[in-house]
Amino acid sequence: MIAYFADVSSRFGVKPKEAERFIKFLVVGGIGFVVDFGIFNLLLNPANGLVLPGAWLYVLLSGFGFSEYFITHLGPTIASAISFVAAVFSNFLWNRYWTYPDSRSRSRRRQFTMFFIVSAVGVLIRIPIVFFMTPVFRSLVSSIGALQAYTTRLADNLSLAVAVLVVLFWNFFANRHWTYNDVE
């Protein structure tokens, strides 16, 4: 399948090797997606519990003057940040050994640092998307009667999905042209 896609893409001026790398990057991204969403959903209830009125984090943040609205919408953002880091580790290993096996001019430590910096910029793109899209999706989903019981969970996952899609393109191009620029 990968070879077929690479062959077809060459007809459109894309180098077959680059097309193959992009498909592998998407597969690795799919694995990262499962890691990311799995951990996100495992952490969502505990993270939301941290920011409920009366919880220690809520009390601490409200003591610093943050609004109730801001604090109570932090749960998905906290879970998203943690799940993102777990996915970064998974994606780095898969990309280093499968997508770009010919990229060995840098040490693992240096290459991971570069990969992590690209991913950190990605998380800086991702967090505001999750933060601002969550209330929008909660409002949208709550207006659909059959989904009201699942409003929070569904809306939180929809906001994460939008953020992951946006960051996917940043990560591919930044990693290809910086982290793995030692391959032909």
Coordinates of all heavy atoms in Angstrom, one line a residue, residues 33-116:
F33 N -1.8 9.0 17.9 CA -3.2 9.3 18.1 C -3.9 8.4 19.2 O -4.5 8.9 20.1 CB -4.0 9.3 16.8 CG -5.4 9.7 16.9 CD1 -5.8 11.0 16.8 CD2 -6.4 8.7 17.0 CE1 -7.1 11.4 16.9 CE2 -7.7 9.1 17.1 CZ -8.1 10.4 17.0
V34 N -3.6 7.1 19.0 CA -4.2 6.1 20.0 C -3.6 6.4 21.3 O -4.3 6.4 22.4 CB -4.0 4.7 19.5 CG1 -4.3 3.7 20.5 CG2 -4.8 4.4 18.2
V35 N -2.3 6.6 21.4 CA -1.6 6.8 22.7 C -2.2 8.1 23.3 O -2.5 8.2 24.4 CB -0.1 6.9 22.5 CG1 0.6 7.5 23.7 CG2 0.5 5.6 22.1
D36 N -2.2 9.2 22.4 CA -2.7 10.5 22.9 C -4.1 10.4 23.4 O -4.4 10.8 24.5 CB -2.5 11.4 21.7 CG -2.6 12.9 22.1 OD1 -3.0 13.2 23.2 OD2 -2.4 13.7 21.2
F37 N -5.0 9.9 22.6 CA -6.4 9.9 23.0 C -6.7 8.9 24.1 O -7.5 9.2 25.0 CB -7.3 9.6 21.8 CG -7.7 10.8 21.0 CD1 -6.8 11.5 20.2 CD2 -9.0 11.3 21.1 CE1 -7.2 12.6 19.4 CE2 -9.4 12.5 20.3 CZ -8.4 13.1 19.5
G38 N -6.0 7.8 24.1 CA -6.2 6.9 25.2 C -5.8 7.5 26.5 O -6.5 7.4 27.5
I39 N -4.6 8.1 26.6 CA -4.2 8.7 27.9 C -5.0 9.9 28.2 O -5.4 10.1 29.4 CB -2.7 9.0 27.8 CG1 -1.9 7.7 27.7 CG2 -2.2 9.9 28.9 CD1 -0.4 7.9 27.5
F40 N -5.4 10.7 27.2 CA -6.2 11.8 27.4 C -7.5 11.4 28.1 O -8.0 12.0 29.1 CB -6.5 12.5 26.1 CG -7.5 13.6 26.1 CD1 -7.2 14.9 26.6 CD2 -8.8 13.5 25.7 CE1 -8.1 15.9 26.7 CE2 -9.8 14.5 25.7 CZ -9.4 15.7 26.2
N41 N -8.2 10.3 27.5 CA -9.4 9.9 28.1 C -9.3 9.3 29.5 O -10.2 9.4 30.3 CB -10.2 9.0 27.1 CG -10.9 9.8 26.1 OD1 -11.9 10.4 26.3 ND2 -10.3 9.8 24.9
L42 N -8.1 8.6 29.7 CA -7.9 8.1 31.1 C -7.7 9.2 32.1 O -8.1 9.1 33.2 CB -6.6 7.2 31.1 CG -6.8 5.8 30.4 CD1 -5.4 5.1 30.3 CD2 -7.8 5.0 31.2
L43 N -7.1 10.3 31.7 CA -6.8 11.4 32.6 C -7.9 12.4 32.7 O -7.9 13.3 33.5 CB -5.5 12.1 32.2 CG -4.2 11.3 32.3 CD1 -3.0 12.1 31.8 CD2 -4.0 10.8 33.7
L44 N -8.9 12.4 31.8 CA -9.9 13.5 31.7 C -10.7 13.6 33.0 O -10.8 14.7 33.5 CB -10.8 13.3 30.5 CG -11.6 14.4 30.1 CD1 -10.7 15.7 29.8 CD2 -12.3 14.1 28.8
N45 N -11.2 12.6 33.5 CA -12.0 12.7 34.8 C -11.1 13.2 35.9 O -11.5 14.1 36.7 CB -12.7 11.4 35.1 CG -13.9 11.1 34.2 OD1 -14.4 12.1 33.6 ND2 -14.3 9.9 34.1
P46 N -9.9 12.6 36.2 CA -9.1 13.1 37.2 C -8.7 14.6 37.0 O -8.7 15.4 38.0 CB -7.9 12.2 37.2 CG -8.3 11.0 36.5 CD -9.3 11.4 35.6
A47 N -8.4 15.0 35.8 CA -8.0 16.3 35.5 C -9.2 17.3 35.7 O -9.0 18.4 36.3 CB -7.5 16.5 34.1
N48 N -10.4 16.9 35.3 CA -11.6 17.7 35.6 C -11.9 17.8 37.0 O -12.3 18.8 37.5 CB -12.8 17.2 34.8 CG -12.8 17.5 33.3 OD1 -12.2 18.6 33.0 ND2 -13.4 16.7 32.5
G49 N -11.6 16.7 37.8 CA -11.7 16.7 39.2 C -10.8 17.7 39.9 O -11.2 18.3 41.0
L50 N -9.6 17.9 39.4 CA -8.7 18.9 40.0 C -9.2 20.3 39.9 O -8.8 21.2 40.7 CB -7.3 18.8 39.2 CG -6.5 17.6 39.4 CD1 -5.3 17.7 38.5 CD2 -6.0 17.6 40.9
V51 N -10.0 20.6 38.9 CA -10.5 22.0 38.7 C -11.9 22.3 39.1 O -12.5 23.3 38.8 CB -10.2 22.5 37.3 CG1 -8.7 22.5 37.1 CG2 -10.9 21.6 36.3
L52 N -12.5 21.3 39.8 CA -13.9 21.5 40.3 C -13.8 22.5 41.5 O -12.9 22.5 42.2 CB -14.5 20.2 40.8 CG -14.9 19.2 39.8 CD1 -15.3 17.9 40.4 CD2 -16.0 19.7 38.9
P53 N -14.9 23.3 41.6 CA -14.9 24.2 42.8 C -14.7 23.5 44.1 O -15.3 22.5 44.3 CB -16.3 24.9 42.7 CG -16.6 24.8 41.2 CD -16.0 23.5 40.8
G54 N -13.7 24.0 44.9 CA -13.4 23.3 46.1 C -12.2 22.5 46.1 O -11.6 22.2 47.1
A55 N -11.8 22.0 44.9 CA -10.6 21.2 44.8 C -9.4 22.0 45.0 O -9.4 23.2 44.8 CB -10.5 20.5 43.4
W56 N -8.3 21.4 45.4 CA -7.1 22.2 45.8 C -6.5 23.1 44.7 O -6.1 24.2 44.9 CB -6.0 21.2 46.3 CG -5.3 20.4 45.3 CD1 -5.7 19.2 44.8 CD2 -4.2 20.8 44.5 NE1 -4.9 18.7 43.8 CE2 -3.9 19.7 43.6 CE3 -3.4 21.9 44.4 CZ2 -2.9 19.7 42.6 CZ3 -2.3 21.9 43.5 CH2 -2.1 20.8 42.6
L57 N -6.6 22.6 43.4 CA -6.1 23.4 42.3 C -7.0 24.5 42.0 O -6.5 25.7 41.7 CB -5.9 22.5 41.1 CG -5.2 23.2 39.9 CD1 -3.8 23.7 40.3 CD2 -5.1 22.2 38.7
Y58 N -8.3 24.3 42.1 CA -9.3 25.3 42.0 C -9.0 26.4 43.0 O -9.0 27.6 42.6 CB -10.7 24.8 42.1 CG -11.8 25.9 41.9 CD1 -12.3 26.1 40.7 CD2 -12.2 26.6 43.0 CE1 -13.3 27.1 40.5 CE2 -13.1 27.6 42.9 CZ -13.7 27.8 41.6 OH -14.6 28.8 41.5
V59 N -8.9 26.1 44.2 CA -8.7 27.0 45.3 C -7.4 27.8 45.1 O -7.3 29.0 45.2 CB -8.6 26.3 46.7 CG1 -8.2 27.2 47.8 CG2 -10.0 25.7 47.0
L60 N -6.3 27.1 44.7 CA -5.0 27.8 44.4 C -5.1 28.8 43.3 O -4.7 29.9 43.4 CB -4.0 26.7 44.1 CG -2.6 27.2 43.7 CD1 -1.9 27.8 44.9 CD2 -1.7 26.1 43.1
L61 N -5.7 28.4 42.2 CA -5.8 29.3 41.0 C -6.8 30.4 41.3 O -6.5 31.5 40.8 CB -6.2 28.5 39.8 CG -5.2 27.5 39.3 CD1 -5.8 26.6 38.1 CD2 -3.9 28.2 38.9
S62 N -7.9 30.1 42.0 CA -8.8 31.2 42.3 C -8.1 32.2 43.3 O -8.4 33.4 43.2 CB -10.1 30.7 42.8 OG -9.9 30.1 44.1
G63 N -7.2 31.7 44.1 CA -6.5 32.6 45.0 C -5.5 33.5 44.2 O -5.2 34.6 44.7
F64 N -5.1 33.1 43.0 CA -4.3 34.0 42.2 C -5.1 34.9 41.3 O -4.6 35.6 40.5 CB -3.4 33.1 41.3 CG -2.2 32.5 42.0 CD1 -2.1 31.1 42.1 CD2 -1.3 33.3 42.6 CE1 -1.0 30.6 42.7 CE2 -0.2 32.8 43.2 CZ 0.0 31.4 43.3
G65 N -6.5 34.8 41.4 CA -7.3 35.7 40.7 C -7.9 35.2 39.4 O -8.5 36.0 38.7
F66 N -7.7 33.9 39.1 CA -8.2 33.4 37.8 C -9.7 33.2 38.0 O -10.2 32.9 39.1 CB -7.6 32.1 37.5 CG -6.2 32.2 37.0 CD1 -5.1 31.9 37.9 CD2 -5.8 32.7 35.8 CE1 -3.8 32.0 37.5 CE2 -4.5 32.8 35.3 CZ -3.5 32.5 36.2
S67 N -10.5 33.4 36.9 CA -11.9 33.3 37.0 C -12.4 31.9 37.1 O -11.6 30.9 36.7 CB -12.5 33.9 35.7 OG -12.3 33.1 34.6
E68 N -13.6 31.7 37.5 CA -14.1 30.3 37.6 C -14.2 29.7 36.3 O -13.9 28.5 36.1 CB -15.5 30.4 38.3 CG -16.1 29.0 38.4 CD -17.5 29.0 39.1 OE1 -17.9 30.0 39.6 OE2 -18.1 27.9 39.1
Y69 N -14.6 30.5 35.3 CA -14.8 30.0 33.9 C -13.4 29.4 33.4 O -13.3 28.3 32.9 CB -15.3 31.1 33.0 CG -15.3 30.7 31.5 CD1 -16.5 30.0 31.0 CD2 -14.3 30.9 30.6 CE1 -16.5 29.6 29.7 CE2 -14.4 30.5 29.3 CZ -15.5 29.9 28.9 OH -15.6 29.5 27.6
F70 N -12.4 30.2 33.6 CA -11.0 29.8 33.2 C -10.6 28.5 33.9 O -10.2 27.6 33.2 CB -10.0 30.9 33.5 CG -8.6 30.6 33.1 CD1 -8.1 30.7 31.8 CD2 -7.7 30.1 34.1 CE1 -6.8 30.3 31.5 CE2 -6.4 29.7 33.8 CZ -6.0 29.9 32.5
I71 N -10.8 28.5 35.2 CA -10.3 27.3 36.0 C -11.1 26.0 35.6 O -10.5 25.0 35.4 CB -10.4 27.6 37.5 CG1 -9.5 28.8 37.9 CG2 -10.0 26.4 38.3 CD1 -9.8 29.3 39.3
T72 N -12.4 26.1 35.5 CA -13.2 24.9 35.3 C -13.0 24.4 33.8 O -13.4 23.3 33.6 CB -14.7 25.2 35.6 OG1 -15.1 26.3 34.8 CG2 -14.9 25.5 37.0
H73 N -12.4 25.2 32.9 CA -12.1 24.7 31.6 C -10.7 24.2 31.4 O -10.3 23.9 30.3 CB -12.5 25.7 30.5 CG -14.0 25.9 30.3 ND1 -14.7 26.7 31.1 CD2 -14.8 25.3 29.5 CE1 -16.0 26.6 30.8 NE2 -16.1 25.8 29.7
L74 N -10.0 24.1 32.5 CA -8.6 23.7 32.4 C -8.4 22.2 32.4 O -7.4 21.7 31.9 CB -7.8 24.2 33.6 CG -7.2 25.7 33.5 CD1 -6.5 26.1 34.7 CD2 -6.4 25.8 32.3
G75 N -9.4 21.4 32.8 CA -9.3 20.0 32.9 C -8.8 19.3 31.6 O -7.8 18.6 31.6
P76 N -9.5 19.6 30.5 CA -9.1 19.0 29.2 C -7.7 19.5 28.8 O -7.0 18.7 28.1 CB -10.1 19.5 28.2 CG -11.3 19.8 29.0 CD -10.8 20.3 30.4
T77 N -7.4 20.7 29.1 CA -6.1 21.2 28.8 C -4.9 20.5 29.5 O -3.9 20.2 28.9 CB -6.0 22.8 29.0 OG1 -7.1 23.4 28.4 CG2 -4.7 23.4 28.6
I78 N -5.2 20.2 30.8 CA -4.2 19.5 31.6 C -4.0 18.1 31.0 O -2.9 17.6 30.8 CB -4.6 19.5 33.1 CG1 -4.5 20.9 33.7 CG2 -3.7 18.5 33.9 CD1 -5.2 21.0 35.0
A79 N -5.1 17.4 30.8 CA -5.1 16.0 30.3 C -4.4 16.0 28.9 O -3.7 15.1 28.6 CB -6.5 15.4 30.2
S80 N -4.7 17.0 28.1 CA -4.2 17.1 26.8 C -2.7 17.3 26.8 O -2.0 16.7 26.0 CB -4.9 18.2 26.0 OG -4.2 18.5 24.8
A81 N -2.2 18.1 27.7 CA -0.7 18.3 27.7 C 0.0 17.1 28.1 O 1.1 16.7 27.6 CB -0.4 19.5 28.7
I82 N -0.5 16.3 29.1 CA 0.2 15.1 29.6 C 0.1 14.0 28.5 O 1.1 13.4 28.2 CB -0.5 14.6 30.9 CG1 -0.2 15.6 32.0 CG2 0.1 13.2 31.3 CD1 -1.0 15.4 33.3
S83 N -1.1 13.9 27.8 CA -1.2 12.8 26.8 C -0.3 13.2 25.6 O 0.2 12.3 24.9 CB -2.6 12.7 26.4 OG -3.1 13.8 25.7
F84 N -0.1 14.5 25.3 CA 0.7 14.9 24.2 C 2.2 14.5 24.5 O 2.8 14.0 23.6 CB 0.6 16.4 24.1 CG 1.4 17.0 23.0 CD1 1.0 17.0 21.7 CD2 2.7 17.6 23.3 CE1 1.7 17.5 20.7 CE2 3.4 18.2 22.2 CZ 2.9 18.1 20.9
V85 N 2.7 14.7 25.7 CA 4.1 14.3 26.0 C 4.2 12.8 25.8 O 5.2 12.3 25.2 CB 4.5 14.7 27.4 CG1 5.8 14.2 27.8 CG2 4.5 16.3 27.5
A86 N 3.3 12.0 26.2 CA 3.4 10.5 26.0 C 3.4 10.2 24.6 O 4.2 9.3 24.1 CB 2.2 9.8 26.7
A87 N 2.6 10.8 23.8 CA 2.6 10.6 22.3 C 3.9 11.0 21.7 O 4.3 10.4 20.7 CB 1.4 11.3 21.7
V88 N 4.5 12.1 22.2 CA 5.8 12.5 21.6 C 6.8 11.4 21.8 O 7.6 11.1 20.8 CB 6.2 13.8 22.3 CG1 7.7 14.1 22.0 CG2 5.4 15.0 21.8
F89 N 6.9 10.8 22.9 CA 7.9 9.8 23.1 C 7.6 8.6 22.2 O 8.5 8.1 21.5 CB 7.9 9.3 24.6 CG 8.6 10.2 25.5 CD1 7.9 11.0 26.4 CD2 10.0 10.2 25.6 CE1 8.6 11.8 27.3 CE2 10.7 11.0 26.4 CZ 9.9 11.8 27.3
S90 N 6.4 8.2 22.1 CA 6.0 7.1 21.2 C 6.4 7.5 19.7 O 7.0 6.7 19.0 CB 4.5 6.8 21.3 OG 4.1 5.9 20.3
N91 N 6.0 8.6 19.3 CA 6.2 9.1 17.9 C 7.7 9.2 17.6 O 8.1 8.8 16.5 CB 5.5 10.4 17.6 CG 4.0 10.2 17.5 OD1 3.4 9.1 17.6 ND2 3.3 11.3 17.3
F92 N 8.4 9.7 18.5 CA 9.9 9.8 18.3 C 10.5 8.5 18.0 O 11.2 8.3 17.0 CB 10.6 10.5 19.4 CG 12.1 10.4 19.2 CD1 12.7 11.3 18.3 CD2 12.9 9.6 19.9 CE1 14.1 11.2 18.1 CE2 14.3 9.5 19.7 CZ 14.9 10.3 18.8
L93 N 10.2 7.5 18.8 CA 10.8 6.2 18.6 C 10.4 5.5 17.3 O 11.2 5.0 16.6 CB 10.4 5.2 19.8 CG 11.0 5.6 21.2 CD1 10.4 4.8 22.3 CD2 12.5 5.5 21.1
W94 N 9.1 5.6 17.0 CA 8.6 5.1 15.7 C 9.2 5.8 14.5 O 9.6 5.2 13.5 CB 7.1 5.1 15.6 CG 6.4 4.0 16.4 CD1 5.8 4.1 17.6 CD2 6.3 2.6 16.0 NE1 5.3 2.8 18.0 CE2 5.6 1.9 17.0 CE3 6.7 1.9 14.8 CZ2 5.3 0.6 16.9 CZ3 6.4 0.6 14.7 CH2 5.7 -0.1 15.7
N95 N 9.3 7.1 14.6 CA 9.8 7.9 13.5 C 11.3 7.6 13.3 O 11.8 7.5 12.2 CB 9.6 9.4 13.6 CG 8.2 9.7 13.2 OD1 7.7 9.3 12.1 ND2 7.5 10.5 13.9
R96 N 12.0 7.6 14.4 CA 13.5 7.4 14.3 C 13.8 6.0 13.7 O 14.7 5.9 12.9 CB 14.1 7.5 15.7 CG 15.6 7.2 15.6 CD 16.4 7.8 16.7 NE 17.7 7.3 16.8 CZ 18.8 7.9 16.4 NH1 18.7 9.1 15.9 NH2 20.0 7.4 16.5
Y97 N 13.1 5.0 14.1 CA 13.5 3.6 13.7 C 12.7 3.1 12.5 O 13.1 2.1 11.9 CB 13.3 2.7 14.9 CG 14.3 3.0 16.0 CD1 13.9 3.6 17.2 CD2 15.7 2.8 15.7 CE1 14.9 4.0 18.1 CE2 16.6 3.1 16.7 CZ 16.2 3.7 17.9 OH 17.1 4.1 18.8
W98 N 11.6 3.7 12.1 CA 10.8 3.2 11.0 C 10.7 4.2 9.9 O 11.0 3.9 8.7 CB 9.4 2.7 11.5 CG 8.6 2.0 10.4 CD1 9.0 1.0 9.7 CD2 7.3 2.4 10.0 NE1 8.0 0.6 8.8 CE2 6.9 1.4 9.0 CE3 6.4 3.3 10.4 CZ2 5.7 1.4 8.4 CZ3 5.1 3.3 9.8 CH2 4.8 2.4 8.8
T99 N 10.2 5.4 10.2 CA 10.0 6.4 9.1 C 11.3 6.9 8.6 O 11.5 7.1 7.3 CB 9.2 7.6 9.7 OG1 8.0 7.1 10.3 CG2 8.8 8.6 8.6
Y100 N 12.3 7.2 9.4 CA 13.6 7.8 9.0 C 14.7 6.9 9.5 O 15.6 7.4 10.2 CB 13.7 9.2 9.6 CG 12.7 10.2 9.1 CD1 11.6 10.5 9.8 CD2 12.8 10.7 7.8 CE1 10.7 11.4 9.4 CE2 11.9 11.6 7.3 CZ 10.8 12.0 8.1 OH 9.9 12.9 7.7
P101 N 14.7 5.6 9.1 CA 15.8 4.7 9.6 C 17.2 5.2 9.1 O 18.2 4.8 9.7 CB 15.4 3.4 9.1 CG 14.6 3.6 7.9 CD 13.9 4.9 8.2
D102 N 17.2 5.9 8.0 CA 18.5 6.4 7.4 C 19.0 7.7 8.1 O 20.0 8.2 7.7 CB 18.4 6.5 5.9 CG 17.1 7.2 5.5 OD1 16.2 7.4 6.3 OD2 17.0 7.7 4.3
S103 N 18.3 8.2 9.1 CA 18.7 9.4 9.8 C 19.5 9.0 11.0 O 19.0 8.8 12.1 CB 17.5 10.2 10.2 OG 17.9 11.3 10.9
R104 N 20.8 9.0 10.8 CA 21.7 8.6 12.0 C 22.9 9.5 12.2 O 23.8 9.1 12.8 CB 22.2 7.1 11.8 CG 21.1 6.1 11.8 CD 20.5 6.0 13.2 NE 19.5 5.0 13.3 CZ 18.2 5.1 13.1 NH1 17.8 6.3 12.8 NH2 17.4 4.1 13.2
S105 N 22.9 10.7 11.5 CA 24.0 11.5 11.7 C 24.1 12.2 13.0 O 25.1 12.8 13.4 CB 24.1 12.6 10.5 OG 23.0 13.5 10.6
R106 N 22.9 12.2 13.7 CA 22.8 12.9 15.0 C 22.6 11.8 16.1 O 22.0 10.7 15.8 CB 21.7 13.8 15.1 CG 21.8 15.0 14.2 CD 20.6 15.9 14.3 NE 20.7 17.0 13.4 CZ 20.1 17.1 12.2 NH1 19.3 16.1 11.8 NH2 20.3 18.1 11.4
S107 N 23.1 12.1 17.3 CA 22.8 11.1 18.4 C 21.3 11.1 18.7 O 20.6 12.0 18.3 CB 23.6 11.6 19.6 OG 23.0 12.7 20.2
R108 N 20.9 10.0 19.3 CA 19.5 9.9 19.7 C 19.1 11.1 20.6 O 18.0 11.6 20.5 CB 19.3 8.6 20.5 CG 18.8 7.5 19.6 CD 18.4 6.3 20.5 NE 19.4 6.0 21.4 CZ 20.2 4.9 21.4 NH1 20.0 4.0 20.4 NH2 21.1 4.6 22.2
R109 N 20.0 11.4 21.5 CA 19.7 12.5 22.5 C 19.4 13.8 21.7 O 18.5 14.5 22.0 CB 20.8 12.7 23.5 CG 20.5 13.8 24.5 CD 21.6 13.9 25.5 NE 21.6 12.8 26.4 CZ 22.7 12.2 26.9 NH1 23.8 12.7 26.7 NH2 22.6 11.1 27.6
R110 N 20.4 14.2 20.8 CA 20.2 15.4 20.1 C 19.0 15.4 19.2 O 18.2 16.4 19.1 CB 21.5 15.7 19.2 CG 21.4 16.9 18.4 CD 22.7 17.2 17.7 NE 22.5 18.1 16.6 CZ 22.7 19.4 16.7 NH1 23.0 19.9 17.8 NH2 22.5 20.2 15.6
Q111 N 18.8 14.3 18.5 CA 17.6 14.2 17.6 C 16.3 14.2 18.4 O 15.3 14.9 18.0 CB 17.7 12.9 16.8 CG 16.9 12.9 15.6 CD 17.2 11.8 14.6 OE1 17.3 10.6 15.1 NE2 17.3 12.0 13.4
F112 N 16.3 13.6 19.6 CA 15.1 13.6 20.4 C 14.9 15.1 20.9 O 13.7 15.5 20.9 CB 15.2 12.7 21.6 CG 14.0 12.8 22.5 CD1 12.8 12.2 22.2 CD2 14.0 13.5 23.7 CE1 11.6 12.4 23.0 CE2 12.9 13.7 24.5 CZ 11.7 13.1 24.1
T113 N 15.9 15.8 21.2 CA 15.8 17.2 21.7 C 15.2 18.0 20.6 O 14.2 18.8 20.8 CB 17.1 17.7 22.1 OG1 17.7 16.9 23.2 CG2 17.0 19.2 22.5
M114 N 15.6 17.8 19.3 CA 15.1 18.5 18.2 C 13.6 18.2 18.0 O 12.8 19.0 17.8 CB 15.9 18.2 16.9 CG 17.3 18.8 17.0 SD 18.4 18.1 15.7 CE 17.9 19.2 14.4
F115 N 13.3 16.9 18.0 CA 12.0 16.4 17.9 C 11.1 17.0 18.9 O 9.9 17.4 18.7 CB 12.0 14.8 17.9 CG 10.7 14.2 17.5 CD1 10.4 13.9 16.2 CD2 9.7 13.9 18.5 CE1 9.2 13.3 15.9 CE2 8.5 13.3 18.2 CZ 8.2 13.0 16.8
F116 N 11.6 17.0 20.2 CA 10.8 17.5 21.3 C 10.5 19.0 21.1 O 9.4 19.5 21.5 CB 11.5 17.2 22.6 CG 10.5 17.4 23.8 CD1 9.7 16.3 24.2 CD2 10.4 18.6 24.5 CE1 8.8 16.5 25.2 CE2 9.6 18.7 25.5 CZ 8.7 17.7 25.9

